[in-house]
Amino acid sequence: MAPSETYSAQCRPGELINGVKKHKDVAYSNESLYLFGNGDGGGGPLRSMLERLRRMANVDGLPRVKQSHPREFYEHVEKTTRELVAWKGELYFELHRGTYTSQSNNKLWNRQSEFLLRDAELLCTVASFGSEDSEFEYPAEELTRLWKLVCLNQFHDVVPGSAINMVYRDSDKMYKDIISSANRIRKEALANVCRSVAGTDLTSSQGLTVVNTTGWMRSDIVAIPASTYANIFSNTSPVQIRASDSAVLVPVTNVAGFGLHSVSAETCSVRAPKHPVHVSKTDKDTYLLENRFVSVTFNASGHIISFYDKTEGRELV
């Protein structure tokens, strides 16, 4: 930030004097940048501001004022300063340590984009070195383009929701482009990895390979298309089916970090849970969720109104 501590100064004498008082590098240069105009989409400098600057150009008691291009200022400082102070590392603004937002979609898509591109880069790297006869080419140019779009939308007025409406119309289109392209790249890289490393084909419904892109061992629920499930677990009826797309939910355990795991009827358990959970609606317009150990009651608003521990025989709410 310039010594005047604003990028939307109104061209008033007090601001110029304040800029001199707060100039912390005056030992190296007695000149500083003065940024004026109505910022944040406010329209820039007004005629009255320009006129005030003209009148204050050479007034006793005020610093001398000269209008020029920022590049001219920096080139002049570089030539005339006695010693330049170097800054190493990120230009981090500590007041932006974390922000809320009025545009929740942007925060969601920002995080989804980061995860997607990270997975895409990992799988593309593995696919590039998967086998000698692999024709997969690392999409460096496209990944760079997508990362630049992600970083652009991490600007401090976009993520917190403090930009104008036009910005979010643009960012919506950018995130749609990022997520669509990253998903395509990830799918292509995954198909190549499965062919060259695991020996399976994504277009085949005869087998299934689970890839863990995290760096630690992972156990999770995997959604398997119904047609694929029927071929792998032909003699086993599905236990849980997702309502949105009829995919079968199957637990897959102990997949190594950055590893692959072939799923078959022998390696994956699809038996009914030992302690099943039952959900029901009571006569009092409440909902009961219970298993062998606990019984939890919710009201119509989703608030827990009862949490009964069957093992201990006591109410916890």
Side-chain angles (χ1 to χ4, degrees):
M1 184 65 76
S4 55
E5 296 185 344
T6 182
Y7 51 80
S8 55
Q10 300 298 300
C11 305
R12 301 188 182 280
E15 294 173 339
L16 296 178
I17 295 173
N18 192 49
V20 174
K21 290 180 178 179
K22 295 187 176 181
H23 189 5
K24 298 179 181 179
D25 294 322
V26 70
Y28 309 105
S29 174
N30 64 350
E31 296 175 291
S32 66
L33 197 63
Y34 180 72
L35 306 172
F36 65 94
N38 294 330
D40 287 336
L46 304 178
R47 289 185 178 181
S48 56
M49 298 177 187
L50 297 173
E51 176 61 21
R52 286 197 291 272
L53 285 181
R54 187 188 68 79
R55 295 186 183 189
M56 293 187 295
N58 189 11
V59 176
D60 287 343
L62 295 178
R64 301 293 183 265
V65 178
K66 176 186 177 181
Q67 293 193 53
S68 66
H69 193 281
R71 180 179 299 170
E72 181 182 341
F73 164 77
Y74 287 115
E75 291 175 348
H76 175 71
V77 169
E78 189 174 23
K79 292 177 182 178
T80 60
T81 187
R82 291 178 287 279
E83 182 181 355
L84 288 175
V85 178
W87 181 280
K88 293 183 180 180
E90 183 181 0
L91 291 175
Y92 176 66
F93 186 35
E94 64 277 5
L95 297 181
H96 288 164
R97 193 176 301 274
T99 61
Y100 291 106
T101 182
S102 63
Q103 300 290 333
S104 59
N105 281 342
N106 271 50
K107 274 207 166 182
L108 173 64
W109 292 332
N110 172 67
R111 200 64 175 133
Q112 285 183 347
S113 299
E114 290 178 330
F115 282 132
L116 265 175
L117 288 173
R118 184 262 179 198
D119 285 355
E121 286 184 329
L122 172 65
L123 292 169
C124 285
T125 301
V126 175
S128 299
F129 297 96
S131 63
E132 295 181 358
D133 59 348
S134 173
E135 298 181 355
F136 185 85
E137 184 176 349
Y138 189 90
E141 185 175 337
E142 177 64 3
L143 287 172
T144 299
R145 183 185 75 85
L146 297 178
W147 271 118
K148 285 183 176 181
L149 289 177
V150 172
C151 291
L152 173 65
N153 285 295
Q154 288 178 348
F155 178 69
H156 68 259
D157 276 328
V158 180
V159 172
S162 53
I164 59 177
N165 179 268
M166 186 186 300
V167 171
Y168 296 104
R169 292 201 297 270
D170 288 343
S171 67
D172 285 352
K173 296 176 183 176
M174 292 179 194
Y175 279 124
K176 184 178 180 180
D177 177 20
I178 294 166
I179 292 172
S180 174
S181 183
N183 270 318
R184 175 184 55 80
I185 292 173
R186 185 178 65 170
K187 184 175 181 180
E188 291 174 356
L190 182 60
N192 190 282
V193 168
C194 288
R195 283 194 299 269
S196 60
V197 179
T200 60
D201 192 338
L202 290 182
T203 61
S204 170
S205 60
Q206 302 303 315
L208 185 69
T209 299
V210 176
V211 179
N212 178 12
T213 58
T214 65
W216 53 87
M217 184 175 290
R218 186 176 177 186
S219 298
D220 214 328
I221 303 297
V222 175
I224 303 178
S227 57
T228 304
Y229 180 90
N231 284 291
I232 300 175
F233 307 100
S234 56
N235 298 321
T236 307
S237 299
V239 175
Q240 284 188 303
I241 299 177
R242 190 163 60 189
S244 59
D245 56 3
S246 298
V248 181
L249 303 180
V250 173
V252 178
T253 59
N254 300 331
V255 183
F258 303 126
L260 297 89
H261 182 80
S262 294
V263 177
S264 65
E266 291 74 28
T267 62
C268 182
S269 172
V270 293
R271 293 175 299 175
K274 187 175 181 180
H275 306 295
V277 177
H278 301 283
V279 181
S280 59
K281 185 176 181 181
T282 68
D283 297 335
K284 299 179 181 179
D285 200 26
T286 58
Y287 298 86
L288 182 64
L289 179 70
E290 67 176 331
N291 62 10
R292 176 182 172 182
F293 304 101
V294 297
S295 176
V296 184
T297 304
F298 299 84
N299 63 16
S301 299
H303 299 149
I304 296 177
I305 58 176
S306 173
F307 197 115
Y308 185 76
D309 188 329
K310 296 181 179 180
T311 304
E312 297 296 328
R314 67 190 185 96
E315 176 66 48
L316 300 179
V317 174

